Amino acid sequence: MPRNGPSYRGEYQKAVLAHQERAVMGKRSTFERRERDFYPTPYAAVVPLLPHLCAVKRYEEPCAGDGALISHLAKHGKICARASDIAPQSASIKSGDATAQLSCNGDCFITNPPWSRPVLHKIIERLSDIAPAWLLFDADWMHTKQSAALIERCRKIVSVGRLRWIPDSKMTGKDNCAWYLFDNSCLRPTQFVGRSALTGTALNKTCLTQN
């Protein structure tokens, strides 16, 4: 088959897209993406979010994986009222599809969703139609054209920075991360919260409103 023919170009485009989907922690990584974007949430990702959860007592985790995020939040008194995942990695996690969520059993959703754009966008839209939803994913998203359809739902962005996604690894991810608060029931400008030095006892003394 001619290498410059229509069929070849079509196959080449498919191969390029497949390669892009295999990028693990962002567009610059050379590692294979894990199935269904399963990367347990590191504790370092939770610390910047805590001052914004003072009004939250109970929450729901719809992309719970192995329950790592739930364990981190439990250390700070946050109760997970319901945990589910499309491919549960723990017996304590129920089977459920975040894109088909019908209700929120708590004050809000808190989750580390898949970063694959088609799935991520469906989750953002679905969850924020139901209740306030805190989602952890790459900070670069807010600067892309594809965010335009959903950024109006975003009430707050909390900077996290780069994270070490693989335990015991010396490497951090190549993309900066952020917590995004989406809520389709309340329209107002997005608030951006930069990096904070709050740690330890300082976190226990500082509370910011969820909204």
Side-chain angles (χ1 to χ4, degrees):
M1 148 188 339
R3 293 184 62 83
N4 60 350
S7 296
Y8 175 78
R9 288 197 297 270
E11 290 303 315
Y12 176 77
Q13 290 171 348
K14 290 180 182 178
V16 170
L17 290 173
H19 176 74
Q20 291 172 344
E21 283 299 311
R22 286 195 295 268
V24 55
M25 280 294 112
K27 55 184 175 291
R28 292 177 296 281
S29 176
T30 57
F31 293 98
E32 289 282 321
R33 182 187 291 273
R34 291 182 178 180
E35 186 176 2
R36 298 187 186 278
D37 275 4
F38 173 59
Y39 294 90
T41 308
Y43 181 74
V46 174
V47 174
L49 179 63
L50 293 173
H52 305 271
L53 299 181
C54 292
V56 176
K57 294 182 179 180
R58 294 163 58 88
Y59 68 95
E60 181 164 347
E61 225 290 33
C63 304
D66 65 353
L69 177 57
I70 297 170
S71 297
H72 299 328
L73 290 172
K75 296 176 183 177
H76 298 272
K78 306 305 177 184
I79 300 171
C80 182
R82 182 167 60 189
S84 58
D85 194 283
I86 196 167
Q89 302 296 311
S90 170
S92 63
I93 309 299
K94 295 182 179 180
S95 179
D97 184 352
T99 65
Q101 193 81 23
L102 296 176
S103 63
C104 179
N105 192 4
D107 301 310
C108 64
F109 295 103
I110 305 177
T111 192
N112 169 20
W115 290 14
S116 175
R117 295 317 195 213
V119 177
L120 174 63
H121 291 173
K122 288 180 181 178
I123 291 175
I124 292 173
E125 187 171 13
R126 187 71 173 190
L127 299 186
S128 63
D129 275 345
I130 299 170
W134 282 103
L135 278 70
L136 174 68
F137 56 96
D138 61 290
D140 191 53
W141 177 85
M142 72 180 90
H143 303 292
T144 64
K145 291 182 178 179
Q146 59 190 284
S147 72
L150 294 168
I151 199 67
E152 290 184 355
R153 298 171 179 246
C154 188
R155 303 293 141 254
K156 186 180 290 186
I157 300 172
V158 179
S159 177
V160 174
R162 296 185 179 186
L163 293 168
R164 182 174 290 111
W165 292 98
I166 302 174
D168 301 322
S169 171
K170 296 181 180 180
M171 303 292 292
T172 59
K174 296 188 177 183
D175 285 298
N176 287 300
C177 303
W179 283 100
Y180 296 80
L181 174 62
F182 294 96
D183 186 354
N184 199 32
S185 69
C186 177
L187 299 179
R188 62 171 176 267
T190 304
Q191 176 188 359
F192 179 78
V193 181
R195 299 292 294 276
S196 172
L198 290 177
T199 57
T201 56
L203 280 171
N204 297 326
K205 297 179 180 179
T206 304
C207 271
L208 304 175
T209 60
Q210 180 181 325
N211 298 317

